[in-house]
Structures are given as structure tokens and as C-alpha cells.
Amino acid sequence: MKRLPWPSWMPVDPYILLLLGTVGLAALFPASGTAADVASGATTAAIAFLFFLYGARLSTREAMDGLTHWRLHGTVLICTFVAFPLLGLAARGLEPAFLTHDLYTGLLFLTLVPSTIQSSIAFTSIARGNVPAAICAGSFSSLAGIVITPLLAALLLGGSGGGFSTDSLVKIVLQLLVPFLAGQLLRPWIGGFITRHKRVLGLVDRGSILLVVYTAFSEGMVQGVWSQVSAARLAGLLVVEALLLGVMLLLTWYGAKALRFDREDRIAIQFAGSKKSLASGLPMAGVLFGAHASLAVLPLMLFHQMQLMVCAVIAKRRARDPEASGRPGPDRPSGSGGAAGTGGTAEGAGRAAGPARSAGPRVSPAATAGR
């Protein structure tokens, strides 16, 4: 059945409406008690299934190419654990006139947590970027954050909590790496079926994000963190976070361009290097802040919702770029290189535009030596 086109007069992306609807649903009917446990379990299962599908779809060569793309991973780590904290420290001048001490502490904490994984991969896939590199970059960031985030928090926030968590490491391995490796092992038998049914993967991408939004916002509603700050302070926090997100989106995109990464890699860097993980940040905040964690994570929860909505719009627009489909644009002559996407999938991101095109991530010739 042919899908009806979205009306051209409607300025709001339909997926944004779904995100807003999910937030509204969580505000009116937050999951609590047994329902919260079910929602949390469903989120965990959706993320694991997402990684299983990616593992089954990606060729072993694509996965290894993504794993060895150290130059891209280093760029994402610098954005996540250097550029973000520096901007957080620069915002100290807004206290106490613009932000209360507790809100600034939470803002600084959000700049220290690792990058997201599932949403970075989903948006990279939608935008037809380098999905294998995004998988590895997000995973590396989460693993590094287990140690780096508590250490940075102890240094910059004056706390002493945190430290290496074996439980967190086991959770990452079981929820992300094991399903991915299982998909890789089963790829010879199910890879063709999944490739022929790419819409299923697209539904999992979007559905997992909606589930994460509902679960996270429900938790905030149940904990009552929204009633602990005035409307004026909340508005000020939103303005500061919008500026923070805007700066990082520009820095990751144009900084990666200055470093001579190609379009597919720039997409992975932008989505993996400009976002923060609520799933990683919440348990870390519980250890670092104890009973005061609810208000400390308020900036992270707001930033998380904001980044999902903004990046959803950016991902859809990136997918419509002339470079995404190999069509020449106004500033791009016919026959020039580009990402020959065949859909918002890793297969489209990694497929060759010609016989000489590599299936894995690439950078421009001048930057190849810097990997």
C-alpha cells in the first residue's frame, strides 16, 4: 500500500509530533510501579533487538572498518569529554543571576556524561551516515564514560563518588555488544531477510527512541523533579541548554569538515559528539549525588528531550541532501564523490557509488594518513 505524503504546508516533521505526543503521554500517564518496570524492560529489549538487527545487517568488513576508524572515535571522545566540559565551565558565570547553584551543578554534570548510543545510531542511519562508525563511537564513549565521567565529576564538582562500576560494564556488554555479535554470527542465515525488510529496522530505530523518551520522562514525573524549580529558572535553563546544543552541533559538523572527514563520517561525528546519554547519566547521578540526584539530573533530562527533537529534524534534512542520494546539488558538480545512500540504512550508507568505492567508512585522501 502506498504511503500518503506528508502535507507540504505542515511545517512540523511528523516524527517530532510523535515525540511531543510521547512526552505528553508520559506527563499525563507516567509509568510507575509495575508499569515502570515493564517500560524499563521493554526499553532494554528494544535496544538489544536494535543492536541485533544492526549486527545481522552489517557485513563483517563494515564492522571491522568501523572499529578501526580511530581518528573518528578520537574526535567524538574529544567533543564528549573535553569540548562539552569546557563549555560547562564557561557557563559558571551565569550563576547565580541566571541559574541557581543546583541547576548549574546539574548543567555541568550533563556535560560530563558519555554520548548516547541507540539514538546516535538511529539518527545516523536516518541521515544516511556512517552507521558502523557510529556504533563503535557510541560504544567507546559509553565504556570510557564509566571511568571518565566519575573522575571528571570528582575533579570539577568536588565530589568523591563514582568510580569504575563492574555492573555498568556488564550491562553495556550484555545489552549492546552481545546482541550485536549474535547478529553478526547469524548474519549468513538471516542477513538477506533483514536487508530485504529495511522498514522493520526503521520502525525499531524510531520506536526505540519513543520508548526511551516515555520511560525517561515518566521517571521524572514520578520523582517530581519538575516542581522543584520555578518557571523563570526553568526557562533560563532551557535557553542555556539550547545554546549549548547549538554550539556543539555546529562545532561537530564544521569541525569535522575542517578535519577533512567526508559527509558520512561528519554525520556520525555530529550525532555521536553532540548528544548526552540519559541512560548512563541517571545511574551515575544516583551514585554521585545521592538524595539530591533528582534535581541534579533535571538539566540532563531536559537536554535529552531537546537533543532528540532537534536531531530528528536534522537527520531527516540530512537524508534529503543531494549528497545523500548521489544527485548533483547546486554547489556540487555532477560525477563528484559522495555518499550514495539507498535509504536510511547502513547498507545504503556503505554501498559503493561505483566499483572502486569501499564499503566501509572513508575520509578524504588528504586525511587518510591521520587515521
Side-chain angles (χ1 to χ4, degrees):
M1 184 175 64
K2 185 177 181 180
R3 185 173 58 180
L4 294 176
W6 186 251
S8 59
W9 51 266
M10 182 68 73
V12 181
D13 189 286
Y15 190 58
I16 297 299
L17 295 180
L18 286 175
L19 287 170
L20 292 174
T22 302
V23 171
L25 181 64
L28 295 174
F29 306 102
S32 60
T34 303
D37 294 337
V38 172
S40 177
T43 301
T44 300
I47 294 171
F49 186 54
L50 174 67
F51 273 78
F52 173 80
L53 290 177
Y54 276 123
R57 191 184 61 188
L58 292 176
S59 70
T60 304
R61 178 180 177 183
E62 285 177 319
M64 293 306 298
D65 283 343
L67 183 64
T68 57
H69 203 347
W70 290 106
R71 187 166 174 267
L72 183 147
H73 304 323
T75 301
V76 171
L77 290 177
I78 289 174
C79 290
T80 303
F81 297 114
V82 179
F84 253 117
L86 288 177
L87 290 175
L89 291 174
R92 188 182 297 274
L94 301 175
E95 178 195 353
F98 207 65
L99 297 174
T100 65
H101 175 72
D102 289 336
L103 287 181
Y104 171 71
T105 299
L107 179 70
L108 182 58
F109 171 72
L110 90 82
T111 66
L112 309 181
V113 303
S115 175
T116 61
I117 301 180
Q118 63 271 16
S119 60
S120 295
I121 297 169
F123 289 136
T124 299
S125 176
I126 293 170
R128 304 180 185 183
N130 190 336
V131 175
I135 291 175
C136 296
S139 300
F140 291 163
S141 178
S142 292
L143 289 171
I146 294 174
V147 177
I148 295 177
T149 297
L151 292 179
L152 287 177
L155 176 65
L156 301 180
L157 298 176
S160 58
F164 183 83
S165 171
T166 303
D167 292 339
S168 298
L169 177 60
V170 171
K171 183 178 180 180
I172 290 175
V173 171
L174 292 179
Q175 188 176 350
L176 305 177
L177 297 183
V178 170
F180 179 81
L181 292 176
Q184 282 278 288
L185 292 175
L186 294 177
R187 173 180 164 78
W189 295 276
I190 66 174
F193 174 83
I194 292 178
T195 300
R196 292 191 300 270
H197 296 80
K198 294 180 288 187
R199 281 191 178 182
V200 175
L201 185 58
L203 292 175
V204 173
D205 288 347
R206 292 160 176 80
S208 62
I209 293 175
L210 293 176
L211 193 55
V212 168
V213 169
Y214 176 78
T215 304
F217 205 89
S218 291
E219 185 172 351
M221 294 297 296
V222 171
Q223 292 181 358
V225 298
W226 315 108
S227 62
Q228 301 179 30
V229 59
S230 67
R233 295 291 191 179
L234 183 61
L237 176 63
L238 288 172
V239 171
V240 173
E241 293 193 335
L243 291 174
L244 176 64
L245 178 59
V247 169
M248 288 306 303
L249 286 170
L250 292 173
L251 178 63
T252 50
W253 182 255
Y254 290 104
K257 185 176 182 179
L259 292 173
R260 303 181 68 83
F261 285 98
D262 72 357
R263 177 189 176 278
E264 293 178 5
D265 288 347
R266 293 202 306 271
I267 289 174
I269 291 171
Q270 183 176 52
F271 288 128
S274 65
K275 301 217 295 303
K276 292 295 183 176
S277 173
L278 187 68
S280 298
L282 286 176
M284 289 180 180
V287 175
L288 294 170
F289 297 103
H292 304 287
S294 59
L295 191 57
V297 301
L298 176 58
L300 176 59
M301 295 182 69
L302 292 175
F303 189 83
H304 183 79
Q305 310 303 326
M306 185 183 299
Q307 71 187 9
L308 290 179
M309 295 177 184
V310 173
C311 289
V313 175
I314 294 176
K316 296 297 286 289
R317 290 185 177 180
R318 293 269 184 256
R320 293 193 295 265
D321 288 344
E323 295 88 343
S325 58
R327 297 188 304 269
D331 298 320
R332 182 170 176 262
S334 177
S336 63
T342 59
T345 65
E347 181 195 18
R351 182 173 295 172
R357 169 95 183 255
S358 170
R362 61 182 176 85
V363 296
S364 58
T368 304
R371 279 191 185 179

